[in-house]
Amino acid sequence: MSLERIGNWINGRPALPAGDAWLDKFNPHDGALVCQVADSGAVDVDRAVAAAAAAFTAWSEMTPVRRGQILGDLVALMKRHADELAACIALEAGKPPEDARGETGGAILQAEYFAGEGMRLHGRSLTSGTPGKSSHTVRVARGVAGLIVPANTPIANIAWKVFPALVCGNTVVLKAAEDTPRIAQRFAELTREAGLPDGVFNVIQGRGQPAGAALVEDSRVAVISFTGSTGVGRWIAEIAGRRLARVSLELGGKNPFVVCDDADLDRAVHWASLSAFSNAGQRCAAGSRLLVFRKVYDEFVERLVSKANSLRLGVESGCDLGPVINRRQQQGILAAIAAVGAEGGRVLCGGGPGEGALESGCYIRPTLVEGLSADSGIARRELFGPVATLHQIDDMHEALALANGTEYGLTAAIHTRSVDRAMWFAQRVRAGVANVNLGTFGSEPHMPFGGFGASGNGTREPGVEALDVYSELKNISFLTRSELV
Ligand code: NAD
C-alpha cells in the first residue's frame, strides 16, 4: 500500500505542492512512519494568498449574520465528526483518547462561541459635541489573515484562530503545524461541506521555513496571528512590523505554581500534577516552576513525586500522558534534564525516556527537579515537556519575586486558604491569567487569554477581545438638521 500524502488546500480543493517535495510524518507513540506531508514553499503560499485575496470582497460583504450561520453549519459538522476528529488527533499527536476528545470538545465550544458572534459583532454608539450629529463604530474586516499554529493541541489551535478571523469577514490562509497535518486537512474538508465559499479558507502544509516565513513576508497578508515559540514570534513581529501588518502573538510560558503553607495539599498536588504533566507538558500554560513554602515543602514534594510516579504513560484509554510530539523535541528535553546535575539540580523522579514497550516512542517520564537556583537553566527556559522544577520559598514576597522572575508572563496559580494572600498575589503577578486553587490553565472560550512580557505582544485571544485582532474599527458620523423638513 502506498503511503498517504497530505497536500495543501487551496481555493476549496486539495492542491499538490508545486515543488513536489514531501516530509515524513512519524507517529510519536511508536516512531512508525504514518504519512507524508507537503513541504510547501513560496509558490504554494503565493497561490493560497491569491485565492484568499480573490475571495475577500464577497466574503467580507456578506452580512456577519450570514457568515455566522455558515460557521454554525461548520460547528454542526465538527460535532457530528467529533469522534473521528479526536481519533485523528490521538494518532498524529500521540494522545490518550480522553485527551483528544476533550480537546476536540474545547475546539467545538470555541467555534460555537465565535459563530454566535455573527449575530453580535457589536460596535458602540457615541454622543457628540455637535448638535444633530450622531456617531457609531462598526467592525470592518482587515483582509487576508495568515494564521500559524503549533501541534500541541491542534484542533483547538485551529478553531481558536479560524473562527474569529472568518466571522469578522477576513479570508484565511492557515499554516498548519508540520507534526499535525491531517487534522488541518480534515478541517478543510469540513469547511467545504459546510458551504464556505472557495478561497475563504486555505491551508498550507510544511515547515516554518520556508512555508510559514513566506506567509509572514507576503504583503497581501493584512493580519498575522501566530501561536508558537517566542523566538519565532519576535522574528514575525519584526517582519510584519515593517509593513505595519497587524500581528497577534501567543507565545511561550514558564508559569509559576505557588503552594502556600496554608494550602489544601491534596488539592495542590492534584493541580500541580495536571499543570506540569498533562498533555505531556506541551502547554504554553504548563506549570513548570513549582514555588513551595518551606514549611510544607517536604510533604508536598513527597506527595507530588509519588503522584508523578503513579502516572500512566501511553495512548490507550486511561493513560495520563502520551509522548512529546517528535524525536527532536524528546532529545532536546532529555539533554536539558541531563544537564541539571552540573547546575546543582537533582532529578527526583522521571528524567528519562519511556521504558519497555514505550521505548520506541518519544516519551519522557514525568520529571521533577529540585536544588536549582530559580534563575538557572531550565528553571527559566521553557522546555515544552513533562518537566517541572521545585523551589523552596519563605514568604509571599519571595513567591511573587520568583513568580515574576522570568521573561514570560502567561499564567500563574496560587494555592492558599487565605483570600488576602490570594488577592495580593493575583493582583501583583505579571501574568495574563491568575488562578486561585486551580492549575496554571488558560481560560474558557469567552475569556481573554494571552500574556505579559515574552509571552505575547499584548493581544488577547479568544474572548470578545479576539475581535480586535481580526477587525478594524471605523467611526461613522451623521449630521442631521435640527428642524423637520
Ligand atoms: P514553533 O515556533 O517552532 O512553531 C509554531 C508554528 O510556527 C509551526 O507551524 C511552525 O512551522 C511555524 N514556524 C516556525 N518558524 C517559522 C517562521 N520563521 N515563520 C513562520 N512560521 C514559523 O513552536 P512549537 O515548538 O511548534 O510550539 C511550541 C511553542 O508554542 C511553545 O513555546 C509554546 O509555549 C507555544 N504555544 C503558545 C501558546 C499560547 O497560546 N501562548 C499555545 C500553544 C503553544
Side-chain angles (χ1 to χ4, degrees), residues 147-153 157 160-161 175-179 204 206-217 224 226-233 235-236 249-255 281-286 325-326 328-329 382-384 408 410 449-451 455-456 461:
L147 311 179
I148 304 174
V149 292
N152 62 331
T153 52
N157 295 348
W160 173 318
K161 295 188 187 303
K175 157 61 183 77
E178 49 270 58
D179 287 298
I204 287 292
R207 292 171 294 157
Q209 275 285 8
L215 187 59
V216 172
E217 285 165 336
I224 296 163
F226 169 78
T227 296
S229 54
T230 295
V232 174
W235 179 80
I236 290 176
L249 302 174
E250 298 292 345
L251 307 176
K254 193 73 191 171
N255 308 293
Q282 300 171 110
R283 297 189 308 109
C284 51
I325 194 68
N326 58 37
R328 185 173 40 82
Q329 264 296 102
E382 184 190 41
L383 290 182
F384 220 54
Y408 297 109
L410 195 52
F449 180 74
S455 292
E461 303 176 54

Coordinates of all heavy atoms in Angstrom, one line a residue, residues 147-153 157 160-161 175-179 204 206-217 224 226-233 235-236 249-255 281-286 325-326 328-329 382-384 408 410 449-451 455-456 461, ligand 1:
L147 N -2.7 32.6 9.5 CA -2.8 32.0 10.8 C -1.7 30.9 10.9 O -1.7 30.0 10.1 CB -4.2 31.5 11.1 CG -5.3 32.4 10.7 CD1 -6.7 31.8 11.0 CD2 -5.2 33.7 11.5
I148 N -0.9 31.0 12.0 CA 0.2 30.0 12.1 C 0.1 29.3 13.4 O 0.0 30.0 14.5 CB 1.6 30.7 11.9 CG1 1.6 31.5 10.6 CG2 2.7 29.7 12.0 CD1 2.9 32.3 10.4
V149 N 0.0 28.0 13.4 CA -0.3 27.3 14.7 C 0.7 26.2 15.0 O 1.3 25.6 14.0 CB -1.7 26.6 14.6 CG1 -2.8 27.7 14.6 CG2 -1.9 25.7 13.4
P150 N 0.9 25.8 16.3 CA 1.7 24.7 16.6 C 0.9 23.4 16.8 O -0.3 23.4 16.6 CB 2.3 25.1 18.0 CG 1.2 25.9 18.6 CD 0.4 26.5 17.4
A151 N 1.6 22.3 17.1 CA 0.9 21.0 17.1 C 0.4 20.5 18.4 O -0.2 19.5 18.5 CB 2.0 19.9 16.6
N152 N 0.6 21.3 19.5 CA 0.3 20.7 20.8 C -1.1 20.4 21.1 O -1.4 19.4 21.7 CB 0.9 21.7 21.9 CG 0.2 23.0 21.9 OD1 -0.3 23.5 20.9 ND2 0.1 23.6 23.1
T153 N -2.0 21.3 20.7 CA -3.5 21.0 20.8 C -4.1 21.4 19.4 O -4.7 22.4 19.3 CB -4.1 21.8 21.9 OG1 -3.8 23.2 21.8 CG2 -3.7 21.3 23.3
N157 N -6.1 24.8 18.5 CA -5.4 25.9 18.0 C -6.0 26.5 16.7 O -6.0 27.7 16.4 CB -3.9 25.5 17.7 CG -3.2 25.2 19.0 OD1 -3.6 25.4 20.1 ND2 -2.0 24.5 18.8
W160 N -9.4 28.2 17.5 CA -9.1 29.4 18.2 C -8.9 30.6 17.3 O -9.3 31.7 17.6 CB -7.9 29.1 19.1 CG -7.2 30.2 19.9 CD1 -7.0 31.4 19.5 CD2 -6.7 30.0 21.2 NE1 -6.3 32.1 20.5 CE2 -6.1 31.2 21.5 CE3 -6.6 28.9 22.0 CZ2 -5.5 31.4 22.7 CZ3 -6.0 29.1 23.3 CH2 -5.4 30.3 23.6
K161 N -8.3 30.4 16.2 CA -7.9 31.5 15.3 C -8.9 31.6 14.1 O -9.3 32.7 13.7 CB -6.5 31.3 14.7 CG -5.5 31.4 15.8 CD -4.1 31.4 15.2 CE -3.0 31.3 16.2 NZ -3.1 32.4 17.3
K175 N -1.4 28.2 8.1 CA -0.2 27.4 8.0 C -0.3 26.4 9.2 O -0.1 26.7 10.3 CB 1.1 28.3 8.2 CG 2.3 27.7 8.7 CD 2.9 26.6 7.8 CE 4.2 26.0 8.4 NZ 3.8 25.1 9.5
A176 N -0.5 25.1 8.7 CA -0.7 24.0 9.7 C 0.6 23.7 10.4 O 1.7 23.9 9.8 CB -1.3 22.8 9.0
A177 N 0.5 23.0 11.5 CA 1.7 22.5 12.2 C 2.2 21.3 11.4 O 1.4 20.4 11.0 CB 1.4 22.2 13.6
E178 N 3.5 21.2 11.2 CA 4.1 20.1 10.4 C 3.9 18.8 11.0 O 3.9 17.8 10.3 CB 5.6 20.4 10.1 CG 6.5 20.8 11.2 CD 6.5 22.3 11.4 OE1 5.5 22.9 11.6 OE2 7.7 22.8 11.4
D179 N 3.7 18.7 12.3 CA 3.5 17.5 13.0 C 2.1 17.0 13.1 O 1.8 15.9 13.5 CB 4.1 17.5 14.4 CG 5.6 17.5 14.4 OD1 6.2 16.6 14.0 OD2 6.2 18.5 14.9
I204 N -1.9 25.8 4.1 CA -0.5 25.5 3.6 C 0.1 24.5 4.6 O 0.1 24.8 5.8 CB 0.3 26.8 3.5 CG1 -0.2 27.6 2.3 CG2 1.8 26.5 3.4 CD1 0.1 27.0 1.0
G206 N 3.6 22.2 5.8 CA 5.0 22.3 5.7 C 5.7 23.0 6.8 O 5.1 23.2 7.9
R207 N 7.0 23.3 6.6 CA 7.8 23.8 7.7 C 7.7 25.3 7.9 O 7.2 26.0 7.0 CB 9.3 23.4 7.4 CG 9.6 21.9 7.4 CD 11.0 21.6 6.9 NE 11.1 22.0 5.5 CZ 12.3 22.2 4.9 NH1 13.4 22.2 5.6 NH2 12.3 22.5 3.6
G208 N 8.1 25.7 9.1 CA 8.1 27.2 9.3 C 8.9 27.9 8.3 O 8.5 28.9 7.8
Q209 N 10.1 27.4 8.0 CA 10.9 27.9 7.0 C 11.0 26.8 5.9 O 11.4 25.7 6.2 CB 12.4 28.1 7.4 CG 12.7 29.4 8.1 CD 12.8 30.6 7.1 OE1 12.5 30.4 5.9 NE2 13.1 31.7 7.6
P210 N 10.5 27.0 4.7 CA 10.1 28.3 4.1 C 8.6 28.6 4.2 O 8.3 29.8 3.9 CB 10.5 28.1 2.6 CG 10.3 26.6 2.4 CD 10.6 25.9 3.7
A211 N 7.7 27.7 4.5 CA 6.3 28.0 4.2 C 5.8 29.1 5.1 O 5.2 30.1 4.6 CB 5.5 26.7 4.4
G212 N 6.0 28.9 6.4 CA 5.4 29.9 7.4 C 6.0 31.3 7.1 O 5.3 32.3 7.1
A213 N 7.3 31.3 6.9 CA 8.0 32.6 6.6 C 7.5 33.3 5.4 O 7.3 34.5 5.4 CB 9.5 32.3 6.5
A214 N 7.2 32.5 4.3 CA 6.7 33.1 3.1 C 5.3 33.8 3.4 O 5.0 34.8 2.8 CB 6.6 32.1 2.0
L215 N 4.5 33.2 4.2 CA 3.2 33.8 4.6 C 3.4 35.1 5.3 O 2.7 36.1 5.1 CB 2.5 32.7 5.4 CG 1.0 33.1 5.8 CD1 0.2 33.3 4.5 CD2 0.4 32.0 6.6
V216 N 4.4 35.1 6.3 CA 4.6 36.3 7.1 C 5.1 37.4 6.1 O 4.8 38.6 6.3 CB 5.7 36.0 8.1 CG1 6.1 37.2 8.9 CG2 5.1 35.0 9.2
E217 N 5.9 37.0 5.1 CA 6.5 38.1 4.3 C 5.6 38.6 3.2 O 6.0 39.5 2.5 CB 7.8 37.5 3.7 CG 9.0 37.4 4.7 CD 10.1 36.5 4.3 OE1 9.9 35.6 3.5 OE2 11.2 36.7 4.8
I224 N -1.6 38.8 10.9 CA -0.9 37.6 11.2 C -1.2 37.2 12.6 O -0.9 38.0 13.5 CB 0.6 37.7 11.0 CG1 0.9 38.0 9.5 CG2 1.3 36.4 11.4 CD1 2.3 38.5 9.2
F226 N -0.1 34.4 15.3 CA 0.9 33.3 15.4 C 0.8 32.7 16.9 O 0.8 33.5 17.8 CB 2.3 33.9 15.2 CG 3.4 32.9 15.6 CD1 3.7 31.9 14.7 CD2 4.1 33.1 16.7 CE1 4.8 31.0 15.1 CE2 5.1 32.3 17.1 CZ 5.5 31.2 16.3
T227 N 0.7 31.4 17.0 CA 0.9 30.8 18.3 C 2.1 29.9 18.1 O 2.2 29.0 17.2 CB -0.3 29.9 18.7 OG1 -1.4 30.8 18.8 CG2 -0.1 29.2 20.0
G228 N 3.1 30.1 19.0 CA 4.3 29.3 18.9 C 5.4 29.9 19.8 O 5.1 30.6 20.8
S229 N 6.6 29.6 19.5 CA 7.7 29.9 20.4 C 8.1 31.4 20.3 O 7.8 32.1 19.3 CB 9.0 29.1 20.0 OG 9.3 29.3 18.6
T230 N 8.7 31.9 21.4 CA 8.9 33.3 21.5 C 10.0 33.8 20.4 O 9.8 34.9 19.9 CB 9.4 33.6 22.9 OG1 8.3 33.4 23.8 CG2 9.8 35.1 23.1
G231 N 10.9 33.0 20.1 CA 12.0 33.4 19.2 C 11.3 33.6 17.8 O 11.6 34.7 17.2
V232 N 10.5 32.7 17.3 CA 9.8 32.9 16.0 C 8.9 34.1 16.1 O 8.8 34.9 15.2 CB 9.1 31.6 15.6 CG1 8.3 31.8 14.3 CG2 10.1 30.5 15.4
G233 N 8.2 34.3 17.2 CA 7.3 35.4 17.4 C 8.0 36.7 17.2 O 7.5 37.7 16.6
W235 N 10.7 37.3 15.5 CA 11.0 37.5 14.1 C 9.8 38.0 13.3 O 9.8 38.9 12.5 CB 11.6 36.2 13.5 CG 11.9 36.3 12.0 CD1 13.0 36.8 11.5 CD2 11.1 35.9 10.9 NE1 13.0 36.8 10.1 CE2 11.8 36.2 9.8 CE3 9.8 35.3 10.8 CZ2 11.3 35.9 8.5 CZ3 9.3 35.0 9.6 CH2 10.0 35.3 8.4
I236 N 8.6 37.3 13.6 CA 7.4 37.7 12.9 C 7.0 39.2 13.1 O 6.7 39.9 12.2 CB 6.3 36.7 13.3 CG1 6.5 35.3 12.7 CG2 4.9 37.3 12.8 CD1 5.5 34.3 13.1
L249 N 0.5 37.7 18.8 CA 1.4 36.7 19.2 C 1.0 36.0 20.5 O 0.9 36.7 21.5 CB 2.8 37.3 19.3 CG 3.4 38.1 18.1 CD1 4.7 38.8 18.4 CD2 3.6 37.1 16.9
E250 N 0.8 34.7 20.4 CA 0.6 33.9 21.6 C 1.8 33.0 21.8 O 1.9 32.0 21.1 CB -0.7 33.1 21.4 CG -2.0 33.9 21.2 CD -2.4 34.7 22.5 OE1 -1.9 34.4 23.6 OE2 -3.2 35.7 22.3
L251 N 2.7 33.3 22.7 CA 4.0 32.7 22.8 C 4.2 31.8 24.0 O 3.2 31.3 24.5 CB 5.0 33.8 22.7 CG 4.8 34.8 21.5 CD1 5.8 35.9 21.5 CD2 4.9 34.1 20.2
G252 N 5.4 31.7 24.4 CA 5.7 30.7 25.4 C 5.4 31.1 26.8 O 4.9 32.2 27.1
G253 N 5.7 30.2 27.7 CA 5.4 30.5 29.2 C 6.4 29.7 30.0 O 6.9 28.6 29.6
K254 N 6.6 30.1 31.2 CA 7.3 29.4 32.3 C 6.6 29.7 33.5 O 6.9 30.5 34.4 CB 8.8 29.9 32.4 CG 9.7 29.0 33.1 CD 10.0 27.7 32.4 CE 10.7 26.8 33.3 NZ 10.9 25.4 32.7
N255 N 5.4 29.0 33.7 CA 4.4 29.5 34.6 C 4.5 29.1 36.0 O 4.7 27.9 36.3 CB 3.0 29.1 34.0 CG 2.9 29.5 32.5 OD1 2.9 30.6 32.2 ND2 3.0 28.5 31.6
G281 N 3.1 18.0 29.2 CA 3.7 19.2 29.5 C 3.8 20.2 28.2 O 4.4 21.2 28.3
Q282 N 3.1 19.8 27.2 CA 3.2 20.6 25.9 C 2.1 21.6 25.9 O 1.1 21.5 25.1 CB 3.1 19.7 24.7 CG 4.3 18.7 24.6 CD 4.0 17.7 23.5 OE1 4.7 17.7 22.6 NE2 3.1 16.8 23.7
R283 N 2.1 22.5 26.9 CA 1.1 23.5 27.0 C 1.9 24.8 27.3 O 2.7 24.8 28.2 CB 0.1 23.2 28.2 CG -0.7 22.0 27.9 CD -1.8 21.8 29.0 NE -1.4 22.0 30.3 CZ -1.6 23.0 31.1 NH1 -2.3 24.0 30.7 NH2 -1.1 23.1 32.3
C284 N 1.5 25.9 26.6 CA 2.2 27.1 26.9 C 1.9 27.5 28.3 O 2.6 28.2 29.0 CB 1.6 28.2 25.9 SG -0.2 28.3 25.9
A285 N 0.7 27.0 28.8 CA 0.3 27.4 30.2 C 0.8 26.3 31.2 O 0.3 26.3 32.3 CB -1.2 27.5 30.2
A286 N 1.7 25.5 30.8 CA 2.2 24.4 31.8 C 2.8 25.0 33.0 O 3.5 26.0 33.0 CB 3.2 23.5 31.1
I325 N 5.9 15.5 20.9 CA 5.4 15.5 19.6 C 6.4 14.8 18.6 O 6.0 14.2 17.6 CB 5.0 16.9 19.1 CG1 4.2 16.8 17.8 CG2 6.3 17.8 18.9 CD1 2.9 16.3 17.9
N326 N 7.7 14.9 18.8 CA 8.6 14.3 17.8 C 10.0 14.0 18.5 O 10.2 14.4 19.6 CB 8.8 15.2 16.6 CG 9.3 16.6 16.9 OD1 10.2 16.8 17.8 ND2 8.8 17.6 16.2
R328 N 13.0 15.1 17.8 CA 13.9 16.2 18.1 C 13.5 16.9 19.5 O 14.4 17.2 20.3 CB 13.7 17.3 17.0 CG 14.6 18.5 17.1 CD 14.5 19.3 15.8 NE 13.1 19.5 15.3 CZ 12.3 20.3 15.8 NH1 12.6 21.1 16.8 NH2 11.0 20.4 15.3
Q329 N 12.2 17.0 19.7 CA 11.8 17.6 21.0 C 12.2 16.7 22.1 O 12.7 17.2 23.2 CB 10.2 17.7 21.0 CG 9.7 19.0 20.6 CD 10.1 20.1 21.6 OE1 11.0 20.9 21.3 NE2 9.4 20.1 22.7
E382 N 11.8 27.6 28.9 CA 10.6 26.7 28.6 C 11.1 25.5 27.9 O 11.8 25.5 26.9 CB 9.6 27.5 27.7 CG 8.4 26.7 27.4 CD 7.5 27.3 26.3 OE1 8.0 27.7 25.3 OE2 6.3 27.3 26.5
L383 N 10.7 24.3 28.4 CA 11.1 23.0 27.7 C 10.0 22.4 26.9 O 10.2 21.7 26.0 CB 11.5 22.0 28.8 CG 12.8 22.3 29.5 CD1 13.1 21.2 30.5 CD2 14.0 22.5 28.6
F384 N 8.8 22.7 27.2 CA 7.6 22.2 26.5 C 7.6 20.7 26.6 O 7.4 20.0 25.6 CB 7.6 22.7 25.0 CG 6.2 23.0 24.5 CD1 5.4 23.9 25.2 CD2 5.7 22.5 23.4 CE1 4.2 24.3 24.8 CE2 4.5 22.8 22.9 CZ 3.7 23.7 23.6
Y408 N 8.9 35.6 30.9 CA 7.5 35.3 30.5 C 6.5 35.9 31.4 O 6.8 36.3 32.5 CB 7.3 33.8 30.4 CG 8.2 33.1 29.4 CD1 9.3 32.3 29.8 CD2 8.0 33.3 28.0 CE1 10.1 31.7 28.8 CE2 8.8 32.7 27.1 CZ 9.8 31.9 27.5 OH 10.6 31.3 26.6
L410 N 2.7 34.4 31.3 CA 1.4 33.9 30.6 C 0.4 33.6 31.7 O -0.7 34.2 31.8 CB 1.7 32.7 29.8 CG 0.7 32.2 28.8 CD1 0.2 33.4 27.9 CD2 1.2 31.1 27.9
F449 N -7.3 35.4 26.8 CA -6.1 34.7 27.1 C -4.9 35.2 26.4 O -5.0 35.5 25.2 CB -6.3 33.2 26.7 CG -5.1 32.3 27.0 CD1 -4.8 32.0 28.3 CD2 -4.3 31.9 26.0 CE1 -3.7 31.2 28.6 CE2 -3.1 31.1 26.3 CZ -2.9 30.7 27.6
G450 N -3.9 35.5 27.1 CA -2.6 36.0 26.5 C -1.7 36.4 27.6 O -2.1 36.3 28.8
G451 N -0.5 36.8 27.2 CA 0.5 37.0 28.3 C 1.2 38.4 28.3 O 1.1 39.2 27.3
S455 N 5.6 36.5 26.6 CA 4.6 35.5 26.3 C 3.6 36.0 25.2 O 2.7 35.3 24.8 CB 3.7 35.2 27.5 OG 4.5 34.5 28.5
G456 N 3.8 37.2 24.7 CA 3.0 37.7 23.7 C 3.2 39.2 23.4 O 4.2 39.8 23.8
E461 N -6.5 36.6 22.7 CA -7.4 35.7 22.0 C -7.7 34.6 23.1 O -6.8 34.2 23.8 CB -6.8 35.1 20.8 CG -6.3 36.1 19.8 CD -5.5 35.4 18.6 OE1 -6.1 34.5 18.0 OE2 -4.4 35.7 18.4
Ligands
NAD1 P1 7.4 26.9 16.8 O1 7.5 28.4 17.0 O2 8.6 26.2 16.4 O3 6.3 26.6 15.6 C1 5.0 27.0 15.7 C2 4.5 27.2 14.3 O4 5.2 28.2 13.6 C3 4.6 25.9 13.4 O5 3.6 25.8 12.5 C4 5.9 26.2 12.6 O6 6.0 25.6 11.4 C5 5.8 27.7 12.4 N1 7.0 28.4 12.2 C6 8.3 28.1 12.7 N2 9.2 29.0 12.2 C7 8.5 29.9 11.5 C8 8.9 31.1 10.8 N3 10.2 31.6 10.7 N4 7.9 31.8 10.2 C9 6.6 31.4 10.2 N5 6.2 30.3 10.9 C10 7.1 29.6 11.5 O7 6.7 26.4 18.1 P2 6.5 24.9 18.5 O8 7.7 24.3 19.1 O9 5.8 24.2 17.4 O10 5.4 25.1 19.6 C11 5.7 25.3 21.0 C12 5.7 26.7 21.4 O11 4.4 27.3 21.2 C13 6.0 26.9 22.8 O12 6.8 28.0 23.0 C14 4.6 27.2 23.4 O13 4.6 27.8 24.7 C15 4.0 28.0 22.4 N6 2.5 28.0 22.5 C16 1.9 29.1 22.9 C17 0.5 29.1 23.1 C18 -0.2 30.4 23.6 O14 -1.4 30.5 23.5 N7 0.5 31.3 24.2 C19 -0.2 28.0 22.9 C20 0.4 26.8 22.5 C21 1.8 26.8 22.3

